[in-house]
Amino acid sequence: MTQVDTLEKTNTKSDTVTLIDNATGKQYTFPVLHGSTGPRVIDTRSLYSETGMFTYDPGYTSTGSCDSKITFIDGDKGILLHRGYRIEDLAENCDFLEVCYLLLHGNLPTKKEHEGFVFTIAHHTMVHEKLRTFYNGFRSDAHPMAIMCGVTGALSAFYHDSTDIRNPRQREIASHRLIAKMPTMAAMAYKYSVGEPFVYPCNDLKYAENFLRMVFAVPTQDFKIDPAVARAMDKIFILHADHEQNASTSTVRLAGSSHANPFACIAAGIASLWGPAHGGANEAVIRMLTEIGSVDRVGEFIRRAKDPNDPFRLMGFGHRVYKNYDPRAKVLQKSAHEVLDALGMQDDPLLKLAIELERIALEDDYFVERKLFPNVDFYSGIILKAIGFPMTMFTVLFAVARTVGWIAQWQEMIEDPMQKIGRPRQLYSGPAERPFLPMEQR
Ligand code: ACO
């Protein structure tokens, strides 16, 4: 029984809304569903059959597309929960693979379950040797996200034994493969772009450490992993692991609703994430801070951000859902200090600038009235830049982390007995039917 079925049974008569069609005077009543937390939801599934009308909601600002038990956001209070746990607690106390297990299975792993999961993921990190040859087909200046779209989709051509979406074991293996191979493929995209040899994964290392080694190690010298940097990388992965029904996750669900294989669906998610309105904002923050240049120019840029005639916006500020401090930004602010301290970069001018910009904006009526707070991208770029990643890799790192969220949401959709192919309707405003004109009469 799905959550929706259960909820329908517990609905009382007053849990309904009535729609009055003023054109015909007819009344229609729809059930109201109650989630475990969050706003009530009007069940409009019978709207078209009963009324002959569709809803119109571009950007889906008022539309719930699915029934999900994975992630909950209260944007007004600045709360993000995964399976009921606060993101701050997970970031402080868990490692990334614990959070992956939680997202996939619904509960935090026991010690034994964690060890088993770590072992499984570690033993799927290598990619098929033939996949390496795909990289050589790209130009050396190819954007790593372009490479990631291509090679992730190409996994479907290598792992035929985990593309039967009706087989639960195959779905599980595909999930493990995607979580395990994504860092390997991302590191290879980076190595290819800088002309260095690929570094094979190392099963003895933790997820974030292994990734850092694959990115930064070279065959000519030992690679030492700074524990503060590895912890910061792990936190960045945790903070980006899932975020409810955002654009890329909805893309994965929509692609998967046609029963496309999971590798193809995740490639679709990567394509959606690539857009600057979604996964690309942390890169934009660094560009903005670099353009501002010094603390004494902050006022000028704040003025520009407030000017309705100037298209400039404070990058890393504001969010469609959060109308309070993004809880992930709080964790990353602390983490930025820890990483820069560990790397001896306490006086990093970008961090100083970011802190000053945040201080001034949070005291300014314009930002206060519009509830514009720093979002997750405000500090993540500073950390990633300090670690040594080029800006083109920022969105790739987001994709590595979000893969578990995408695949958990995809699994949930496939296992939902109410699942149907996603097929939105439209408000048609083109020409009504008209007679065909032969070419000589046009
Ligand atoms: N700087 C200055 N003003 C802003 C900003 C900003 N960053 N964000 C919103 N505003 C203003 C708008 O101009 C608008 O003002 P008005 O009411 O006077 O017209 C008001 O605040 C509401 O803004 P909207 O654009 O309607 O809010 P929306 O929810 O559509 O946009 C968005 C959210 C796209 C994130 C926006 O805040 C923005 O562009 N921020 C900067 C880019 C950014 O940091 N994106 C990352 C988002 S997090 C993520 O995707 C992982």
Side-chain angles (χ1 to χ4, degrees):
M1 187 180 284
T2 67
Q3 191 179 351
V4 171
D5 291 335
T6 320
L7 293 166
E8 276 170 349
K9 290 210 159 38
T10 59
N11 268 358
T12 62
K13 236 183 167 184
S14 58
D15 288 333
T16 55
V17 290
T18 300
L19 174 75
I20 302 170
D21 181 348
N22 290 326
T24 62
K26 281 190 181 167
Q27 290 195 5
Y28 306 93
T29 299
F30 298 96
V32 170
L33 306 177
H34 298 244
S36 46
T37 182
R40 295 180 304 151
V41 172
I42 306 168
D43 180 352
T44 56
R45 281 175 293 178
S46 63
L47 181 83
Y48 180 58
S49 61
E50 283 189 41
T51 68
M53 289 185 275
F54 299 137
T55 54
Y56 177 61
D57 183 20
Y60 312 119
T61 52
S62 301
T63 299
S65 61
C66 61
D67 171 10
S68 181
K69 296 178 174 62
I70 301 175
T71 292
F72 173 78
I73 303 172
D74 184 330
D76 293 328
K77 294 190 182 134
I79 292 174
L80 167 60
L81 306 177
H82 291 320
R83 303 283 193 183
Y85 296 104
R86 282 221 183 208
I87 189 69
E88 299 90 324
D89 292 335
L90 296 173
E92 197 53 43
N93 301 301
C94 294
D95 67 26
F96 179 62
L97 287 185
E98 262 177 283
V99 176
C100 289
Y101 187 98
L102 173 70
L103 290 169
L104 289 172
H105 297 281
N107 286 306
L108 285 166
T110 60
K111 190 165 180 292
K112 198 165 166 239
E113 286 165 341
H114 183 240
E115 282 167 7
F117 190 65
V118 168
F119 180 89
T120 303
I121 297 301
H123 287 79
H124 278 297
T125 48
M126 283 203 299
V127 292
H128 195 288
E129 276 297 295
K130 283 231 182 295
L131 195 78
R132 292 164 62 92
T133 59
F134 275 57
Y135 286 76
N136 295 331
F138 287 100
R139 284 167 49 137
S140 52
D141 61 353
H143 195 289
M145 279 300 274
I147 298 180
M148 291 304 284
C149 289
V151 292
T152 307
L155 291 177
S156 337
F158 288 91
Y159 301 105
H160 297 140
D161 58 346
S162 55
T163 52
D164 178 359
I165 63 138
R166 288 189 178 80
N167 181 325
R169 180 64 186 138
Q170 291 204 20
R171 291 202 297 271
E172 189 179 26
I173 296 172
S175 307
H176 294 160
R177 281 182 168 148
L178 278 156
I179 294 166
K181 294 182 199 309
M182 204 57 81
T184 312
M185 298 190 304
M188 287 165 77
Y190 170 73
K191 286 299 198 191
Y192 187 74
S193 71
V194 291
E196 289 178 8
F198 296 147
V199 175
Y200 281 96
C202 171
N203 287 0
D204 297 335
L205 295 176
K206 294 180 97 176
Y207 194 86
E209 291 172 349
N210 179 42
F211 177 61
L212 289 168
R213 183 178 160 277
M214 287 190 291
V215 171
F216 294 117
V218 286
T220 44
Q221 62 189 66
D222 277 351
F223 176 69
K224 289 204 175 54
I225 301 160
D226 186 321
V229 170
R231 184 68 194 129
M233 190 73 255
D234 204 54
K235 268 191 191 164
I236 288 181
F237 285 155
I238 291 173
L239 296 172
H240 289 84
D242 193 45
H243 211 229
E244 210 222 63
Q245 308 310 321
N246 54 81
S248 58
T249 302
S250 298
T251 302
V252 170
R253 278 186 177 259
L254 197 54
S257 77
S258 73
H259 296 178
N261 77 68
F263 304 108
C265 296
I266 301 302
I270 293 175
S272 168
L273 185 74
W274 193 0
H278 189 7
N282 49 12
E283 198 176 322
V285 171
I286 299 295
R287 286 217 181 85
M288 174 189 74
L289 293 174
T290 311
E291 193 190 343
I292 297 175
S294 67
V295 170
D296 54 4
R297 293 189 68 204
V298 167
E300 176 195 331
F301 280 81
I302 295 267
R303 270 194 301 283
R304 282 188 59 194
K306 297 192 304 189
D307 181 351
N309 300 316
D310 189 328
F312 174 77
R313 281 187 165 196
L314 274 196
M315 298 316 286
F317 260 77
H319 197 278
R320 171 59 65 79
V321 180
Y322 292 116
K323 300 302 168 198
N324 203 322
Y325 214 110
D326 179 338
R328 303 167 300 172
K330 273 190 192 151
V331 177
L332 282 182
Q333 187 196 47
K334 190 165 162 246
S335 194
H337 285 284
E338 286 165 5
V339 169
L340 294 177
D341 282 353
L343 297 174
M345 296 167 68
Q346 299 90 331
D347 295 328
D348 180 62
L350 285 191
L351 181 65
K352 284 195 164 162
L353 206 49
I355 292 168
E356 184 60 5
L357 191 62
E358 181 185 343
R359 189 187 66 76
I360 295 178
L362 291 180
E363 286 172 0
D364 192 297
D365 283 349
Y366 174 94
F367 293 90
V368 174
E369 279 161 17
R370 287 168 181 75
K371 299 184 176 164
L372 300 170
F373 293 88
N375 59 48
V376 68
D377 294 312
F378 193 65
Y379 282 104
S380 63
I382 293 173
I383 300 174
L384 296 174
K385 187 169 178 295
I387 294 176
F389 287 103
M391 284 196 285
T392 51
M393 281 295 286
F394 289 5
T395 320
V396 175
L397 296 168
F398 195 157
V400 171
R402 185 55 60 84
T403 294
V404 65
W406 289 331
I407 203 76
Q409 301 265 355
W410 172 82
Q411 290 236 47
E412 183 178 66
M413 179 200 61
I414 298 292
E415 287 163 18
D416 183 350
M418 307 294 283
Q419 190 266 329
K420 283 174 189 249
I421 187 166
R423 177 52 170 97
R425 304 305 292 257
Q426 62 174 4
L427 170 66
Y428 176 69
S429 50
E433 185 176 348
R434 49 183 168 165
F436 175 78
L437 283 182
M439 196 174 278
E440 57 278 11
Q441 291 177 27
R442 285 172 213 163

